Amino acid sequence: MKIEDVPQDLKFFKDTKIRDIAYAVDNDGCYQTVVSDGWIIKNDAIDITWDHISENCENIKKDIQKGKISPLVYHMEKNLMSLNLLSSYTGISKRHIKKHMKPDVFNALSEDILQKYADMLRITVDELKKI
């Protein structure tokens, strides 16, 4: 693609300083990096992905209300956090995090552990405890 053909379909980057970098061919036939405001095809893929995540979050909410899982699972899904990533960021072992996904264990967690999760998820402890 030529530099002048790099898509500029502003959607997800509106009112942000974030932009995509695309590679395009200049007039001399050399590749150059070009700032792009987005691409409709990529925007559509992102929309589909967020719809899927929202659907998963709704199903997780139902399981929380039924007492099957803890709110931690919801916040992990909402923030695209895998068990490995959450463990890495918090320093809490994967085995312990799995236990914390159970409502009875989660409800008995100390303020310190809850605060560690909340800090990593950039929410308050109260927000962590509910959905």
Side-chain angles (χ1 to χ4, degrees):
M1 150 178 7
K2 294 187 177 196
I3 289 177
E4 58 270 8
D5 297 331
V6 171
Q8 301 296 334
D9 301 320
L10 191 63
K11 179 175 181 178
F12 287 104
F13 299 134
K14 187 174 184 175
D15 299 325
T16 70
K17 294 181 181 183
I18 299 171
R19 297 291 184 263
D20 269 345
I21 296 292
Y23 293 92
V25 178
D26 64 15
N27 293 334
D28 298 326
C30 298
Y31 281 99
Q32 300 288 328
T33 56
V34 180
V35 175
S36 171
D37 286 330
W39 186 25
I40 195 163
I41 295 169
K42 186 175 182 179
N43 293 343
D44 289 347
I46 292 170
D47 277 335
I48 290 167
T49 302
W50 279 115
D51 287 346
H52 178 71
I53 292 165
S54 294
E55 186 177 314
N56 286 350
C57 285
E58 288 305 312
N59 291 332
I60 289 168
K61 282 181 183 180
K62 290 175 187 173
D63 286 344
I64 292 168
Q65 291 166 346
K66 292 177 185 174
K68 293 181 178 180
I69 55 176
S70 76
L72 179 61
V73 178
Y74 170 81
H75 291 290
M76 286 174 63
E77 179 69 19
K78 182 180 168 194
N79 289 282
L80 310 177
M81 298 296 296
S82 68
L83 186 64
N84 289 338
L85 198 55
L86 186 61
S87 176
S88 175
Y89 283 170
T90 60
I92 300 170
S93 74
K94 292 183 280 187
R95 185 173 68 85
H96 282 107
I97 293 172
K98 281 183 184 180
K99 287 182 179 182
H100 300 165
M101 292 177 175
K102 297 176 183 175
D104 55 334
V105 176
F106 181 81
N107 292 333
L109 288 176
S110 70
E111 272 304 304
D112 289 342
I113 298 215
L114 291 171
Q115 190 63 56
K116 193 177 274 195
Y117 282 131
D119 289 345
M120 197 286 311
L121 293 165
R122 295 185 178 148
I123 58 176
T124 66
V125 171
D126 285 339
E127 290 170 320
L128 175 65
K129 290 179 178 180
K130 56 186 175 185
I131 52 169

